Amino acid sequence: MSVFDVILLFLAGFLSGAANAVAGGGTFITFGAMTLVGLPPIVANATSSVTQFPGYVTSTLAYAADIRHFWRQALLLCLISAFGALAGALILLALDNPSFRAMVPWLLLAATALFAAGPWLKPSPKPDHEASVGSLVGSLAQFLTSIYGGFFGAGMGVMMLATLGLTQSGDYHKLNALKNMLAMVIAAIAILVFVSGGVIAWPQAIVMIPGGALGGYAGVWIAKRVPQNVVRGFVVAVGLFLAFYYFAKG
């Protein structure tokens, strides 16, 4: 890596952590930075899962008090998510870079649209209901979402929160806690598959992870001073830029 690459990746990690802390969508930034420094798209996608994982862990821990009320019932969805993530990650590894590259702009457009629609997809608060996590429809929806998460994680959090809001009961914070827990499981399984497949760019990941940690911390400061819509607009712009970049490159 050149000095420029190191600086770009560190800044991307920082911006990703800050964006996730304020509005989400950090995967767009990490994936984009790694492709711009020349990593193949499959490697960039897999490595992005590694850089995002610490954030999933810390956000899950932040909701520990909520999770302890329903974690036993949530084990089924965790198991379903693990199998879905395994399937999605294996599908990714079965592709070659040209095949995946052809899919990337469409995936980015879909994920960007999903992320942009995020505020309208948030579940309505249901404060009088305890979280229910065992429905058949909810299990199927989570399985499909986790396949997507294992294959291409951008926008996974928004997608999962939307499907959980439609298929589970519970207030927003409980559903968000469940989403974070399941996202951590999906990322962990995908990372294990990617590591075994040898598609993680560890030097780039090591540069980005501390940047992400600092960005997550700074996100609290940013959230108090920068409107969430501004951060969301920045992430959407990054997603659109990357989609058109891949369309242009063919």
Side-chain angles (χ1 to χ4, degrees):
M1 287 185 292
S2 67
V3 174
F4 174 80
D5 290 348
V6 171
I7 294 172
L8 176 63
L9 292 172
F10 183 85
L11 288 177
F14 180 87
L15 291 173
S16 170
N20 282 338
V22 179
T27 303
F28 292 106
I29 301 171
T30 55
F31 178 80
M34 282 184 280
T35 58
L36 290 177
V37 299
L39 289 180
I42 288 178
V43 175
N45 184 45
T47 306
S48 189
S49 298
V50 174
T51 65
Q52 300 298 310
F53 184 69
Y56 292 139
V57 174
T58 54
S59 56
T60 299
L61 291 175
Y63 273 113
D66 296 275
I67 290 172
R68 73 165 181 256
H69 295 297
F70 60 79
W71 70 270
R72 289 182 179 83
Q73 300 96 309
L75 287 178
L76 174 61
L77 286 184
C78 286
L79 184 62
I80 291 170
S81 297
F83 279 110
L86 177 63
L90 290 175
I91 291 171
L92 178 67
L93 291 188
L95 297 174
D96 54 25
N97 275 295
S99 299
F100 183 62
R101 181 185 293 273
M103 300 173 65
V104 163
W106 300 104
L107 289 167
L108 284 168
L109 279 180
T112 302
L114 187 68
F115 180 77
W120 294 275
L121 297 177
K122 286 184 178 180
S124 301
K126 302 172 187 175
D128 297 328
H129 296 83
E130 292 296 319
S132 171
V133 294
S135 70
L136 178 61
V137 174
S139 298
L140 178 60
Q142 182 57 33
F143 180 67
L144 295 175
T145 302
S146 59
I147 291 176
Y148 171 81
F151 181 78
F152 188 71
M156 174 183 66
V158 176
M159 181 186 299
M160 204 184 318
L161 195 57
T163 56
L164 290 173
L166 292 172
T167 61
Q168 315 295 336
S169 61
D171 64 22
Y172 172 76
H173 291 293
K174 288 181 179 178
L175 294 176
N176 200 37
L178 180 59
K179 180 263 293 181
N180 290 336
M181 181 181 181
L182 297 175
M184 183 179 67
V185 172
I186 292 168
I189 296 299
I191 288 169
L192 288 175
V193 174
F194 297 150
V195 169
S196 66
V199 292
I200 304 294
W202 288 111
Q204 287 81 359
I206 290 170
V207 170
M208 298 184 83
I209 288 172
L214 288 173
Y217 184 81
V220 177
W221 183 91
I222 294 171
K224 295 178 180 179
R225 293 163 176 81
V226 180
Q228 189 178 96
N229 287 340
V230 173
V231 178
R232 184 174 294 277
F234 170 74
V235 174
V236 169
V238 170
L240 291 175
F241 168 78
L242 290 173
F244 287 111
Y245 171 79
Y246 270 100
F247 274 125
K249 286 189 68 175

